[in-house]
């Protein structure tokens, strides 16, 4: 279609220069630039071969049986005639394009991915193998139920694990991600209040909650009120109690919280909220810190989503898919969504959908996604649970917490740990950028650690501390890996404290230097378009390129 | 445990660095009454890879896979052949095990792929811009309704009766809590769509009109007149596409004037997977981009002037705007979007058009054969690869009788609309390139036998 120009680099840039760090192609040995498919593909090329004529194509070639002429005429009236502009590549070119792109990515398979609150742990490949078994991967959501008993058994078995691990009463399996799970839990609360004939409009959300929490509450029509954190990073119980009243539908709380701390007062919070007729939503994104050690049901939680991709290791694929089942208390379970897989006394399974909900689940708030949830994530998560077992999952929590505390104690002499004095953290260690040289911030440390070969930690979250750095090593990192990371971060932190100017322009060794995010937002370019030809621009052939 | 690298010596060395004696010293903030000591009742302990594979394999074999015999199900999820290289590429660890591209310098692979995906989707759907994917088609459809309300400041959404009933059901659930007013109903068993009626019903209270294309009965129609009616009243036209392969043959909704086009991208690259994970497509006219939910990837330059990509326009998002956010979504379907994008790249325009033609051709051939079964007729006056058969009896028991003969012969309208007895004789049949001449002949023969 047009000149490959992946990097914005143009051959003439090299014309008079003696800079021997620049290559003609823009490539640097194994670090390869890759154009867009729109720049290298063509609308005539395809990497797919179709079956040869087998008699079924005939109806397209004019041999249409009489009664279908009319159908074909009508389709012709709607035929897409203009070029769509979709480039194609041969199979080999396709593999090369995406393989090259993949090499521009950091991933857990390459090293420690210490994103706090995101829980990037090893993704076992058995999970992938199981999810691809044809009996799971190649079944349709609307197949007759007698032909999908194994799939319904998986949903049911996974649900049983989640209930037992959390000490809750029921579970809604269909939410498609953590935030969708939050919405599910909040809709359960709303439905329960409605069933009681109450119109409570306020949800209390502590400052340290995920940004999704207030967004979810607002999306479901609640008004959101913040609850401050104490100086040691936990929910201010007294402030919470002071705000409780008959207009409060409930509280959305994260435990372990986003400062990496366990909410010691969780039971007292639950009791206080319940005493005024409200419900307790717990953001379970950090469940991996307590799985097998603490059951949220024992703390009075009414609803909690569990990010299967975090705690139970389903790969996050560059931003999704996730999966967010929600465990529910006895009070909220009757309001959970449909469909769900029910097990009957004879060992058979049935989907409770709109049709049977009236008899078996009359108070359901309804359906929140077209089909049955993230089945591909369910098979992976169940495989992981079975591999670890209850004893292994307990070890998961212990090792995750041990690793985080090891990082906290190994770095708190060079980085300020705002709540480090108040005792152990859970599965993530929180630092701030206080004490760096003038003009240096968390961002510089993050970009500096990239050059050391690591993905940065979560930055500027949680919002309750200045210049937050939230580090979550997870349980799948060895001591040797942690020691190397600690050494690297210590080195970068010291450079930031000493005001090393080179740190301001890091990263230097990544595929790209710091990107202009302001430009991207001010002049959004969100889709590729054919570049306008600029008169006077030399073509590759004119300057001797091949 | 094979996934846990710490040794007992590591653990005690680390505890001493921390200054703790036992691991439970680190759980000191958990009140004793909430601690769980000892095994959890009724849950097994750890198991070998072989043992787990055996258990899961046994469960998988209790399902009838689509490839095990003739298969004609659609109604929102379609079986297409996915080239082997798609699954190979998405299993590269650098794609599979990456996170959201929050650090663009070391996430250009995911970001460039998302930019390419956005560009492909916008072209396929005939719109200016597309986002970097949503959970699935049904949730994307609801988000489009909410977006239309934000733009028009009106709350009445008119749903075509041809919209997938589960999509409507999701909208109904959400509308109860947001206060949107939905006007909806079940389809009638007539050859044409209800779009002319919808055009007449649009008024100054209407935020949007939602239509599906091809619709739940497989019908296709020109939406240009409806788009004009919406425009005249200041309402938005939202088009839902559940079978994007169709757009290789028939006009895109954006070309016909739809303001927002949402879709289920599962057909391309993703596979059936018993309903998920799928990939929601979301596209719209450029002027509405700041009201769009979900992630967006944009082109920019780095400090050295090289082209690069970043997540952008995040000021709409939950992590910045909290309760004022455009939506609460913080996950997309990145890996499924990648599968979609790779499959689309392999197809290219030429391949997509050919694939669409083969689908349509086979569907025509199948409709011809099935309509010859005594008592059976085809409802549609136009269709792509899916059509509705009218049977002389209720379709639900027929589906089960066909399954006993090892033929998965479509989705009965009785299952989709259990409360509507007027639709129970309808059977929605999808025919893709995976259906062979033998499959079609076997289906027709079995249907004849069951109906006899």
């Amino acid at each position: 279609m047009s000149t490959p120009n992946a990097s914005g680099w143009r051959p003439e840039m090299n014309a008079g220069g003696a800079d021997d760090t620049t290559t003609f192609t823009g490539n640097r040995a194994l670090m390869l630039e890759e154009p867009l498919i729109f720049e290298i593909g063509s609308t005539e090329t395809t990497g797919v071969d179709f079956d040869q004529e087998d008699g079924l194509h005939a109806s397209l070639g004019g041999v249409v049986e009489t009664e279908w002429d009319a159908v074909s005429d009508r389709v012709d009236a709607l035929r897409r005639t203009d070029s769509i502009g979709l480039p194609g590549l041969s199979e080999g070119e396709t593999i090369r394009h995406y393989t090259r792109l993949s090499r521009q990515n950091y991933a857990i398979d390459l090293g420690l991915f210490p994103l706090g609150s995101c829980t990037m742990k090893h993704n076992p490949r058995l999970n992938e193998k199981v999810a691809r078994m044809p009996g799971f991967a190649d079944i349709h959501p609307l197949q007759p139920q007698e032909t999908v008993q194994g799939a319904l058994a998986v949903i049911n078995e996974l649900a049983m694990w989640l209930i037992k691990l959390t000490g809750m009463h029921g579970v809604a399996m269909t939410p498609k991600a953590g935030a969708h799970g939050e919405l599910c839990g909040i809709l359960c609360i709303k439905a329960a209040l409605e069933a009681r004939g109450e119109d409570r409009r306020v949800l209390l959300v502590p400052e340290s909650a995920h940004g999704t929490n207030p967004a979810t509450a607002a999306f479901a029509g609640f008004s959101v009120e913040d609850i401050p954190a104490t100086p040691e990073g936990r929910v201010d119980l007294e402030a919470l109690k002071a705000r409780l009243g008959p207009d409060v539908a409930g509280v959305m709380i994260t435990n372990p919280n986003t400062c990496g701390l366990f909410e010691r007062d969780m039971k007292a919070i639950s009791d206080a909220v319940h005493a005024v007729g409200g419900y307790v939503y717990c953001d379970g994104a950090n469940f991996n810190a307590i799985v097998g050690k603490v059951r949220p049901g024992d703390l009075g939680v009414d609803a909690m989503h569990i990010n299967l991709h975090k705690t139970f290791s389903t790969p996050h694929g560059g931003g999704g898919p996730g999966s967010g089942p929600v465990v529910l208390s006895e009070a909220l379970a009757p309001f959970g969504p449909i469909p769900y897989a029910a097990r009957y006394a004879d060992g058979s399974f049935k989907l409770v959908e709109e049709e049977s909900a009236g008899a078996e689940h009359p108070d359901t708030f309804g359906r929140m996604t077209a089909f049955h949830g993230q089945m591909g994530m369910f098979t992976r998560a169940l495989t992981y649970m079975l591999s670890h077992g209850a004893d292994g999952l307990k070890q998961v929590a212990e090792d995750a917490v041990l690793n985080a505390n090891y990082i906290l104690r190994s770095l708190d002499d060079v980085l300020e740990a705002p709540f480090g004095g108040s005792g152990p953290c859970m599965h993530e260690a929180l630092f701030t950028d206080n004490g760096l040289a003038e003009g240096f911030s968390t961002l510089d440390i993050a970009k500096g650690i990239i050059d050391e070969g690591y993905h940065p930690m979560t930055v500027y979250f949680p919002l309750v501390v200045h210049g937050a750095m939230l580090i979550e090593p997870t349980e799948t990192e060895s001591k040797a890996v942690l020691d190397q990371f600690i050494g690297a971060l210590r080195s970068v932190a010291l450079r930031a404290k000493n005001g090393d100017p080179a740190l301001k322009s890091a990263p230097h060794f990544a595929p790209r230097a710091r990107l202009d995010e302001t430009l991207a937002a001010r002049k959004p370019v969100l889709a590729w378009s054919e570049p306008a030809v600029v008169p006077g621009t030399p073509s590759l052939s004119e300057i001797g390129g091949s | 445990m094979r996934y846990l690298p710490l040794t007992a010596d590591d653990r005690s060395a680390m505890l001493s660095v921390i200054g703790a004696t036992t691991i439970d010293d680190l759980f000191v903030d958990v009140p004793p009454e909430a601690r769980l000591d000892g095994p959890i009742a009724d849950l097994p302990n750890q198991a070998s890879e072989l043992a787990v594979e055996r258990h899961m394999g046994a469960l998988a074999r209790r399902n009838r896979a689509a490839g095990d015999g003739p298969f004609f199900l659609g109604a929102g999820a379609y079986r297409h052949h996915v080239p082997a290289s798609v699954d190979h590429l998405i299993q590269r660890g650098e794609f599979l095990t990456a996170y959201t591209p929050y650090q663009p310098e070391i996430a250009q692979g995911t970001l460039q792929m998302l930019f390419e995906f956005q560009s492909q989707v916008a072209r396929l759907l005939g719109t200016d811009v597309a986002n970097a994917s949503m959970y699935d088609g049904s949730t994307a459809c609801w988000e489009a309704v909410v977006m239309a309300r934000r733009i028009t400041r009106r709350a009445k959404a008119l749903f075509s009766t041809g919209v997938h009933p589960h999509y409507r059901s999701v909208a109904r659930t959400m509308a109860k809590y947001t206060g949107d007013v939905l006007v909806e109903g079940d389809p009638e068993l007539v050859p044409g769509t209800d779009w002319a009626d919808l055009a007449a019903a649009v008024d100054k209270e209407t935020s949007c009109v939602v239509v599906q294309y091809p619709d739940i009965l497989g019908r296709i129609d020109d939406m240009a007149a409806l788009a004009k009616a919406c425009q005249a009243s200041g309402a938005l036209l939202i088009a839902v596409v559940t079978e994007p392969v169709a757009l290789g043959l028939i006009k895109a909704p954006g070309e016909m004037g739809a303001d927002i086009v949402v879709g289920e991208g599962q057909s391309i690259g993703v596979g059936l997977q018993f309903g998920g994970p799928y990939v929601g497509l979301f596209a719209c006219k450029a002027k509405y981009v700041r009201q769009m939910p979900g992630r967006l990837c944009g082109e920019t330059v780095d400090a050295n002037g090289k082209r690069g990509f970043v997540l952008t326009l995040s000021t709409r998002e939950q992590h910045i705007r909290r309760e004022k956010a455009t939506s609460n979504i913080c996950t997309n379907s990145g890996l499924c979007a990648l599968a979609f994008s790779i499959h689309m790249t392999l197809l290219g325009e030429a391949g997509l058009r050919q694939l669409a033609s083969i689908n349509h051709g086979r569907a025509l051939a199948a409709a011809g054969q099935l309509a010859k079964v005594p008592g059976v007729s085809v409802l549609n006056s136009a269709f792509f690869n899916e059509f509705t058969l009218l049977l002389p009896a209720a379709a639900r028991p027929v589906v089960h009788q066909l399954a006993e003969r090892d033929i998965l012969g479509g989705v009965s309208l009785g299952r989709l609309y259990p409360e509507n007895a007027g639709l129970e004789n309808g059977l929605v049949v999808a025919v893709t390139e995976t259906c062979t001449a033998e499959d079609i002949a076997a289906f027709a023969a079995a249907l004849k036998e069951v109906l006899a």
Side-chain angles (χ1 to χ4, degrees), chain B residues 81-319:
Chain B
H81 176 253
V82 179
S85 44
V86 174
D87 194 44
H88 169 83
L89 286 167
I90 70 166
Q91 285 201 76
R92 279 192 69 88
E94 305 92 325
F95 284 130
L96 184 75
T97 75
Y99 198 70
T100 307
Y102 289 140
Q103 297 288 341
E105 299 87 353
I106 48 171
Q108 286 297 306
T110 290
L111 286 162
Q112 182 171 334
M113 172 280 285
L114 291 175
F115 185 81
E116 293 175 341
F117 170 82
Q118 289 175 179
S119 306
Q120 286 173 318
V121 171
R123 284 168 183 236
L124 183 69
L125 303 181
T127 57
D128 301 321
V129 290
N131 75 8
S133 81
M134 311 281 281
Y135 304 144
D136 71 354
S138 65
T139 50
C141 174
W142 168 250
E143 292 276 351
V145 174
V146 180
M147 177 170 153
R149 185 182 51 175
R150 277 197 301 275
I151 292 168
T152 63
R153 299 172 192 277
R154 304 172 185 174
K156 188 171 83 178
L158 305 181
F159 273 69
S160 160
T161 55
V163 174
H164 196 297
H166 291 173
Y167 286 43
R168 267 173 36 199
S169 196
V170 171
R172 210 180 301 135
T173 295
M174 299 306 304
K176 271 191 295 191
Y177 301 102
T178 60
D180 288 73
V181 179
L182 306 186
V183 181
E184 49 154 346
D186 291 347
E188 287 178 42
L189 291 178
V190 293
T193 62
D194 61 349
W195 296 357
D197 297 342
L198 284 170
V202 180
D203 61 21
K204 295 289 178 197
E205 311 296 310
T206 310
S207 67
C208 60
V209 176
V210 186
V211 299
Q212 187 177 314
Y213 170 85
D215 79 359
I216 186 64
L217 302 181
R219 300 172 299 192
I220 50 179
D221 205 344
D222 192 327
M223 66 185 76
L226 182 54
K228 280 206 186 78
C230 286
Q231 207 163 23
S233 296
L236 301 189
L237 177 58
I238 298 171
V240 179
V241 177
T242 63
E243 171 50 299
V245 172
L247 304 185
L249 182 73
I250 55 177
K251 281 182 195 163
E255 283 183 274
M256 292 185 276
D259 297 281
I260 304 172
V261 186
V262 293
E264 175 52 74
Q266 169 274 333
S267 257
I268 298 177
V270 177
L272 291 171
Q273 308 201 79
F274 201 46
Y278 285 176
V279 50
L281 311 178
F282 200 114
C284 67
K285 291 180 175 169
K287 61 182 168 180
Y288 301 129
V289 71
R290 283 171 201 273
Q291 291 298 330
M292 210 181 198
R295 289 196 183 126
L296 284 165
C297 173
E299 184 182 321
T300 188
V301 293
D302 78 353
N304 299 326
K306 287 184 175 182
R307 178 171 69 187
F309 303 92
V310 293
L311 293 181
T312 192
L313 301 183
S314 58
T315 46
R316 308 160 297 121
E317 289 183 37
Q318 34 75 24
H319 57 270

Side-chain angles (χ1 to χ4, degrees), chain B residues 393-424:
Chain B
R396 283 189 98 167
V398 171
V399 166
H400 293 282
Q401 287 166 283
L402 288 168
E404 283 166 17
R405 288 163 173 77
D406 211 27
I407 289 174
L408 296 187
V411 177
S412 67
L413 292 180
R415 173 143 186 205
L416 292 174
Y417 302 93
E419 314 298 332
N420 190 332
L423 296 173
E424 67 181 14

Side-chain angles (χ1 to χ4, degrees), chain A residues 6-7 34-39 43 46-47 50 54 59-60 65 68 71 74-75 78-80 82 84-86 88-89 97-98 101-102 104-109 118 120 123-124 129 132 135 137-140 142-143 146-148 150-151 157 179 187 190 215-216 218 226 234 262 264 293 315-320 353-355 365 367 369-370 374-376 387-391 395 399 403 447 475-476 511-516 520-521 525-528, chain B residues 1-4 11 14 23-24 27 29 36 42 44-47 53 55 59-60 63-64 66-67 74 77 79 87 91-99 103-110 112 115-116 118-120 123-124 136 138 166 169-170 173 176-177 247 249-251 255 272-274 276-277 289-290 295 298-303 306-307 310 312 322-323 328 332 335 341 345-350 353-354 357 361-362 368 372 381 383 396 400 415 437:
Chain A
S7 61
E34 182 62 8
L36 293 164
I37 50 173
F38 294 88
E39 295 159 341
T43 52
T46 183
F50 296 98
D54 59 7
S59 50
L60 281 177
E65 294 180 49
W68 301 109
V71 169
R74 284 172 204 269
V75 173
L78 282 171
R79 195 172 282 271
R80 193 167 192 176
D82 293 347
I84 308 171
L86 292 167
L89 297 173
H97 175 72
Y98 289 99
L101 285 190
S102 75
Q104 318 281 323
N105 264 6
Y106 195 88
I108 192 69
D109 280 2
C118 299
M120 290 295 282
N123 300 133
K129 185 175 182 184
R132 286 172 172 78
D138 198 21
I139 53 174
H140 191 285
L142 297 172
Q143 270 182 228
E146 63 270 21
T147 68
V148 289
E157 192 172 336
L187 294 187
K190 202 149 180 174
T216 299
D226 289 348
R234 294 184 172 86
F262 191 84
R264 287 181 200 136
K293 298 284 287 183
H316 208 40
E353 307 181 89
E354 282 82 349
E355 181 176 25
F365 72 67
R367 179 184 284 269
T369 178
Q374 306 289 64
M375 185 64 194
S387 297
H388 266 299
D391 55 339
Q395 189 70 55
D399 284 358
N403 281 354
K447 299 309 181 189
E475 72 282 1
T476 57
R512 286 292 178 274
R514 291 192 197 189
L515 288 137
D516 189 343
V525 178
L526 305 170
W528 186 85
Chain B
M1 212 300 148
R2 58 188 177 276
Y3 306 142
L4 301 178
R11 290 186 182 112
M14 293 164 75
I23 186 71
D24 277 329
F27 287 84
D29 288 324
L36 198 57
D42 305 326
N45 282 342
Q46 55 187 268
E53 197 177 327
H55 175 80
L59 289 171
N63 300 319
R64 196 278 207 181
R79 182 165 192 255
D87 194 44
Q91 285 201 76
R92 279 192 69 88
E94 305 92 325
F95 284 130
L96 184 75
T97 75
Y99 198 70
Q103 297 288 341
E105 299 87 353
I106 48 171
Q108 286 297 306
T110 290
Q112 182 171 334
F115 185 81
E116 293 175 341
Q118 289 175 179
S119 306
Q120 286 173 318
R123 284 168 183 236
L124 183 69
D136 71 354
S138 65
H166 291 173
S169 196
V170 171
T173 295
K176 271 191 295 191
Y177 301 102
L247 304 185
L249 182 73
I250 55 177
K251 281 182 195 163
E255 283 183 274
L272 291 171
Q273 308 201 79
F274 201 46
V289 71
R290 283 171 201 273
R295 289 196 183 126
E299 184 182 321
T300 188
V301 293
D302 78 353
K306 287 184 175 182
R307 178 171 69 187
V310 293
T312 192
R322 288 173 68 92
E323 69 270 19
N328 76 327
N332 64 348
L335 196 70
S341 194
T345 299
L346 283 163
L347 287 167
E349 181 159 339
R353 286 184 184 277
Q354 204 185 344
S357 287
R362 287 186 187 213
K372 285 186 191 138
S381 60
F383 58 85
R396 283 189 98 167
H400 293 282
R415 173 143 186 205

Side-chain angles (χ1 to χ4, degrees), chain A residues 485-508:
Chain A
F485 176 70
I486 288 164
L489 193 52
R490 170 180 294 279
S491 155
V492 175
L494 288 173
R495 287 169 63 200
K497 281 175 169 281
N498 295 332
D500 176 2
L503 196 57
K504 291 302 294 180
S505 53
H508 303 106

